[in-house]
Amino acid sequence: MNTPDRDPARSGTPLPQRQAALIDLLDRLLSGGVVVTGDVVLSIADIDLVRISLRALIVSISEQNPGPWGAGPAGRTATP
Amino acid sequence: MTAGSLVYVYAVAREPAATLVTMAGTLTGVAGSPVHLVLRSPALAAVVSPVPERDFHETALRRHLEDLGWLEALARAHHGVIEAFSTHATVLPLRLATVYRDDDRVRAVLHDRQGLFLDRLGRLDGHVELGVKIYVDRGSDTPSEPAPPAASSSDPPLGPGRSYLRHRRAEQDSRNDAERAAERAAERIEATARAHAVERARHRIQEGELATAPGVNVSNDAYLVPAAHADAFRAEALRSTDGLTGVRVDVTGPWAPYSFAGLPEPDPPGSAP
């Protein structure tokens, strides 16, 4: 097994093949994962602060394109 | 546990086979440090690595997370470890930057939360996450630029006003067409999800400087799909734009089930395969 930072595209693993786009990764890592209170406590609100601080990069500061069927905040639903 | 270090936790898995223990020994995690497992017999293991306290105590961490370069390095290292394990076992990813004082504290958490962890691991067993994004083409839409003045040689020349309106109308029509196409694609993807997926998570629309893919992102969803259905789901989702113009679908993954590791919503999961 290769170390993950060594050419993940060639690691021969069945899971993702090429380097994930940072934005797709941040979508998942900043709002996903199970929250267990650690000894160093960054609350969910703090993670939101990351988003606010990097808003220009991660989300648009303009509301110009909400999309035809809207985009709720990240939230989980059973499949339709 | 060396002085001045803390323990970064990536994920929780069921107490692993020997191959996983071996694999942990080959992985490098956040801050370039070696990954190991913290075991809590008989059931659970946490995937962890030491991190320097100077960078991961609360104040430093908060400050670092505001730095996109640092955040990216953290995110990629976190993901790299989870991805490696998730090819061999069901893992429950933890939220980015979950940090404990030492292995004993991690062991205590495994003990305290054992029921919760096992429950969620059971729910995720044999499933992968796939991302599905729909984009609408921007087309020739450059709103700040007025229509080219009536230049059409064969038609009688239009006044600048009428020419502008015609241009806007054409623009509007193609935008409406693209939005209708996107809705059609979304309907097809929902049908695909009913056949293959067990849960859906909505992420926010991708915008801003990191959103470099062409077109305008109009939906950004994640689906929890049985691994055996992943290829079919992907292929069908990609076919959702067949015969449609002005719309594009991007499928990412399979991912470890990041978007489905949180608290179960009031389900029931609509349709199991």
Side-chain angles (χ1 to χ4, degrees), chain B residues 2-270:
Chain B
T2 51
S5 77
L6 298 169
V7 177
Y8 187 102
V9 190
Y10 302 85
V12 172
R14 284 192 204 81
E15 188 178 15
T19 54
L20 296 186
V21 181
T22 307
M23 185 172 67
T26 70
L27 290 173
T28 303
V30 168
S33 57
V35 172
H36 66 277
L37 300 178
V38 172
L39 302 178
R40 174 46 175 73
S41 294
L44 289 167
V47 180
V48 309
S49 71
V51 288
E53 181 164 18
R54 68 174 180 280
D55 285 328
F56 284 83
H57 70 75
E58 201 159 338
T59 319
L61 188 51
R62 201 165 277 158
R63 194 180 62 246
H64 282 319
L65 288 174
E66 306 290 344
D67 171 352
L68 185 65
W70 201 94
L71 176 62
E72 175 168 10
L74 176 67
R76 293 210 182 277
H78 179 95
H79 176 57
V81 171
I82 288 175
E83 187 180 39
F85 272 89
S86 65
T87 63
H88 291 84
T90 301
V91 297
L92 183 67
L94 264 52
R95 177 64 58 92
L96 191 72
T98 303
V99 179
Y100 287 92
R101 290 271 148 223
D102 55 35
D103 285 1
D104 284 342
R105 287 281 302 129
V106 176
R107 212 166 276 119
V109 170
L110 290 180
H111 174 75
D112 292 347
R113 302 295 191 94
Q114 176 166 325
L116 175 102
F117 290 148
L118 287 174
D119 179 61
R120 293 194 197 170
L121 283 165
R123 200 162 49 87
L124 298 173
D125 241 350
H127 290 73
V128 296
E129 173 175 336
L130 290 168
V132 181
K133 291 174 289 183
I134 302 178
Y135 293 89
V136 172
D137 284 345
R138 237 177 246 283
S140 57
D141 182 12
T142 45
S144 58
E145 196 177 298
S152 174
S153 51
S154 57
D155 295 336
L158 297 173
R162 285 183 61 200
S163 170
Y164 174 79
L165 289 176
R166 173 177 292 190
H167 179 75
R168 295 299 296 178
R169 165 108 48 91
E171 225 175 55
Q172 190 62 50
D173 285 351
S174 80
R175 191 177 306 141
N176 289 344
D177 287 349
E179 285 181 8
R180 269 194 298 274
E183 282 173 27
R184 184 76 191 101
E187 287 164 9
R188 291 172 180 173
I189 290 165
E190 287 202 7
T192 298
R194 274 194 293 275
H196 296 294
V198 296
E199 263 185 88
R200 177 180 65 191
R202 292 199 181 280
H203 290 291
R204 71 179 69 202
I205 298 298
Q206 292 186 345
E207 306 172 285
E209 288 176 40
L210 291 182
T212 53
V216 177
N217 182 219
V218 294
S219 76
N220 179 15
D221 293 342
Y223 293 89
L224 188 66
V225 181
H229 289 241
D231 288 344
F233 180 92
R234 173 196 302 279
E236 285 180 34
L238 289 173
R239 279 202 300 273
S240 68
T241 55
D242 284 1
L244 302 174
T245 55
V247 62
R248 186 170 62 80
V249 164
D250 183 23
V251 179
T252 62
W255 300 86
Y258 294 110
S259 306
F260 303 96
L263 282 169
E265 291 291 302
D267 342 58

